[in-house]
Amino acid sequence: MLKNSYQTRGLSFAFLIGPPKNLTRQIGMSIHSAVCEALGVDDIGFRYQPGESQPGGERTFSINLTREEGRQRLTVEVGQQAHQQPIRLLLRYEWPASNKLVFDDFDSTCDAAFAVLGDGWQRVLAEARIRGQVHAPGDSAISFLSRAVLHLPKSSRPIDDGRLSFMALQYETVAAKFTQGAELSNPKRDVSVEVLRQDPRSLYLEVMSQWPQVAAAPDGTVHIDPGTIRSFQSPPSEYLTNTIDYTESVLLPFLDQAGLDQR
């Protein structure tokens, strides 16, 4: 089974929060201190970067915290990508030792950051992303994707002339309706399965789950009622768990079944 060879390369989580507001270096330093205390470490790097000045004197900003231990890397970013846009609180872990480590650190970091920011903020979107790799059956990710998953005939060009070096499968779903009190149900999913360039025997998997405040129909239309506005009360670990469960219960079994069907 592919699940047996699955290896996590990275996990990330983000909240978009509003209203748009410039955060000063002093606030950034307070967030840094609170995160260090919450995680029980004193070796987290800190960087504050103001953006270009905007009309009216406003600026975008970026607060960046980093900590490395071996090949593990924890990154915390708080910033605006554009003037008058929501603030993004992004937590990212590269090559984590375990999911539990990520859950604990992300939940503690998020609590610490919001404790510094104080009241008056509204969470308008949550996003969880996982990245991993698995060993492809037959030691060829291209062959597995082309034959087992996409069912391309052996005579298909350019596959049969041996010149194909990369292949990917992508799909996405919209954020569907949900009921009040079920904030983690029916997120938007973006899924990518592709050849791992560093090792063509393996597949690189990326699954992004996104929970907008208001769901949209497949045609893009939005119908708002009190029962379809998310409240975003869950900690990062619950959004990540939802995405991991989807990967393990939907994506990996789909790929496993494709491999069985090929035999």
Side-chain angles (χ1 to χ4, degrees), residues 39 74 91 93 100-110:
L39 300 186
L74 169 64
L91 315 173
Y93 234 123
K100 185 179 186 307
L101 171 68
V102 177
F103 296 164
D104 291 346
D105 284 0
F106 278 13
D107 288 352
S108 297
T109 298
C110 190

Side-chain angles (χ1 to χ4, degrees), residues 10-263:
L11 297 168
S12 67
F13 176 79
F15 272 131
L16 287 187
I17 61 176
K21 181 180 179 181
N22 182 265
L23 299 183
T24 64
R25 177 183 293 273
Q26 185 61 45
I27 294 176
M29 293 176 65
S30 296
I31 292 174
H32 174 257
S33 297
V35 172
C36 286
E37 182 177 356
L39 300 186
V41 297
D42 60 3
D43 57 351
I44 298 178
F46 170 78
R47 180 169 58 88
Y48 180 89
Q49 182 66 46
E52 295 294 328
S53 181
Q54 304 292 322
E58 296 292 332
R59 288 178 179 266
T60 57
F61 68 93
S62 175
I63 299 166
N64 187 281
L65 314 181
T66 57
R67 182 175 188 267
E68 295 187 44
E69 185 174 354
R71 70 172 181 173
Q72 288 185 145
R73 180 182 177 90
L74 169 64
T75 303
V76 181
E77 297 177 3
V78 185
Q80 284 178 303
Q81 295 182 323
H83 182 54
Q84 289 300 315
Q85 293 297 308
I87 293 171
R88 182 180 69 166
L89 170 60
L90 171 66
L91 315 173
R92 185 167 57 238
Y93 234 123
E94 306 295 334
W95 296 108
S98 68
N99 288 342
K100 185 179 186 307
L101 171 68
V102 177
F103 296 164
D104 291 346
D105 284 0
F106 278 13
D107 288 352
S108 297
T109 298
C110 190
D111 288 345
F114 277 112
V116 172
L117 293 174
D119 298 329
W121 296 93
Q122 182 178 14
R123 306 178 192 190
V124 297
L125 183 140
E127 178 183 295
R129 188 184 302 264
I130 69 171
R131 297 180 292 109
Q133 67 185 66
V134 293
H135 192 79
D139 290 336
S140 172
I142 286 179
S143 177
F144 177 72
L145 283 180
S146 63
R147 309 287 185 240
V149 179
L150 299 179
H151 303 292
L152 298 178
K154 292 184 178 181
S155 59
S156 294
R157 297 182 64 88
I159 296 173
D160 63 342
D161 64 12
R163 291 186 288 121
L164 190 66
S165 63
F166 181 78
M167 178 172 284
L169 165 69
Q170 294 182 313
Y171 67 86
E172 63 181 63
T173 67
V174 298
K177 290 183 178 180
F178 56 94
T179 58
Q180 199 165 23
E183 64 176 278
L184 270 72
S185 64
N186 294 329
K188 170 183 169 61
R189 308 273 193 195
D190 285 356
V191 179
S192 176
V193 181
E194 61 188 50
V195 176
L196 182 62
R197 292 187 182 273
Q198 304 96 314
D199 180 3
R201 298 170 302 174
S202 299
L203 296 166
Y204 171 81
L205 312 179
E206 183 166 312
V207 179
M208 185 275 284
S209 303
Q210 194 175 77
W211 291 264
Q213 202 166 41
V214 179
D219 62 1
T221 59
V222 176
H223 302 284
I224 300 177
D225 64 66
T228 59
I229 300 177
R230 298 187 200 269
S231 58
F232 299 110
Q233 298 302 309
S234 297
S237 57
E238 293 190 22
Y239 296 98
L240 286 167
T241 297
N242 179 283
T243 305
I244 291 169
D245 288 346
Y246 177 86
T247 303
E248 294 181 348
S249 65
V250 177
L251 180 58
L252 290 177
F254 163 72
L255 296 174
D256 268 327
Q257 187 58 51
L260 292 174
D261 292 344
Q262 187 186 30
R263 297 174 184 176

